[in-house]
Amino acid sequence: MRYFVWFSYDGTAYNGWQIQPNGITVQSELQRCLSLLLREEISLTGAGRTDTGVHARRMAAHFDTQQAFDPEVLTKKLNGLLHQDIGVYSVEPVSNELHARFSAVERTYRYYVHTRKDPFLRMYSLELHYQLDYELMNEAGRILTEYDDFGAFCKAGSDVKTTLCRVTHAQWHQTSPSTWYFEITANRFLRNMVRAVVGTLVEVGRGRMSLDDFRQVIEGRQRTQAGESMPAKALFLENVKYEP
């Protein structure tokens, strides 16, 4: 029987989602707790990877087991066993054909920034000390939806078979006089892609890169031509969607 786990986490203390030989990860902690509660070795498959320090508001993973259990009771026990920085929303039985990674049709990330010193934002938003042209950056964001190859924003040395992605939404939103977030939705994302996209959009917003330059970066597919990778602490995986 296959089950989906829906959960969120603060990635500050973790070396990303995926199990690493050195360092604690979200996957290793969830697997450890599930294995203890179900008294068998549980292997989780996540909807995707998040890098060290990146957070998730709504993430999915699946596991298989032949054991019978009450999903609501298991959810409560998981939350009692896990650290405070990981929270499980639900455990749900699903079709054996549903795959947390390959069945996902859409993923949404948000990157948060602020321009006024705020001690309550410092852990989850990037403080900027320069002005940005958000309208121009939104024009650049719309350009992203015109392309399907994002090799320019893929971390060098990544073991990906393809750099093709379908971006359907990329826009900055203002939430107060001093706070914004960038939201981007695609069918899949490359390693480090969102942070590299944000870093390149910031170059546009600061007047260091024109819209034509931005197009050339995408078409050139060279990571060295794009902007810097922005800090991980301000990046959140907001949601993963599946077909009904």
Side-chain angles (χ1 to χ4, degrees):
M1 184 71 184
R2 177 159 292 180
Y3 292 86
F4 257 45
V5 184
W6 288 97
F7 56 98
S8 61
Y9 56 86
D10 177 337
T12 304
Y14 297 97
N15 286 15
W17 156 257
Q18 191 172 28
I19 290 178
Q20 305 292 334
N22 298 308
I24 188 172
T25 68
V26 179
Q27 183 184 19
S28 64
E29 278 301 286
L30 265 176
Q31 285 188 178
R32 179 183 67 83
C33 293
L34 277 168
S35 298
L36 282 172
L37 293 172
L38 295 177
R39 298 182 181 180
E40 67 172 290
E41 195 67 29
I42 295 297
S43 177
L44 278 171
T45 299
R49 302 177 183 178
T50 54
D51 292 336
T52 299
V54 175
H55 320 290
R57 293 195 199 277
R58 186 168 173 81
M59 170 72 154
H62 78 251
F63 69 93
D64 297 322
T65 181
Q66 296 304 315
Q67 290 198 45
F69 60 85
D70 184 327
E72 289 189 12
V73 172
L74 181 62
T75 298
K76 292 179 180 178
K77 288 183 176 180
L78 271 174
N79 282 323
L81 193 58
L82 286 162
H83 295 290
Q84 292 295 314
D85 49 16
I86 302 176
V88 175
Y89 296 124
S90 65
V91 179
E92 304 170 356
V94 298
S95 163
N96 288 335
E97 285 70 45
L98 194 64
H99 193 283
R101 179 183 175 190
F102 298 125
S103 299
V105 296
E106 185 178 280
R107 297 161 173 87
T108 297
Y109 280 88
R110 287 182 181 178
Y111 195 91
Y112 293 82
V113 301
H114 60 285
T115 56
R116 185 180 65 192
K117 187 176 182 180
D118 187 329
F120 301 107
L121 294 177
R122 73 188 193 282
M123 297 293 292
Y124 308 107
S125 176
L126 180 66
E127 185 176 339
L128 300 177
H129 302 283
Y130 41 77
Q131 295 297 316
L132 293 174
D133 185 335
Y134 289 92
E135 290 186 9
L136 189 62
M137 290 194 296
N138 277 338
E139 288 187 46
R142 286 188 286 272
I143 290 173
L144 291 170
T145 64
E146 301 173 14
Y147 291 87
D148 58 11
D149 193 325
F150 295 96
F153 307 116
C154 183
K155 186 172 183 178
S158 295
D159 57 345
V160 293
K161 295 181 179 179
T162 175
T163 53
L164 298 180
C165 307
R166 187 178 68 254
V167 175
T168 55
H169 174 77
Q171 186 174 0
W172 288 89
H173 301 266
Q174 185 171 11
T175 53
S176 82
S178 60
T179 58
W180 289 261
Y181 66 82
F182 173 66
E183 183 174 86
I184 183 168
T185 299
N187 64 325
R188 65 187 290 263
F189 286 92
L190 307 171
R191 188 177 178 188
N192 207 52
M193 177 174 165
V194 180
R195 291 158 62 195
V197 166
V198 173
T200 311
L201 290 175
V202 165
E203 291 295 292
V204 174
R206 297 183 72 178
R208 295 178 170 182
M209 183 182 293
S210 69
L211 294 179
D212 285 339
D213 293 335
F214 187 72
R215 284 186 181 276
Q216 290 176 19
V217 167
I218 299 173
E219 294 171 2
R221 294 181 289 182
Q222 297 296 315
R223 180 65 188 91
T224 54
Q225 301 301 311
E228 67 175 314
S229 179
M230 303 299 273
K233 68 175 184 177
L235 180 60
F236 286 74
L237 173 61
E238 291 288 329
N239 198 15
V240 183
K241 287 188 178 181
Y242 299 85
E243 291 291 355

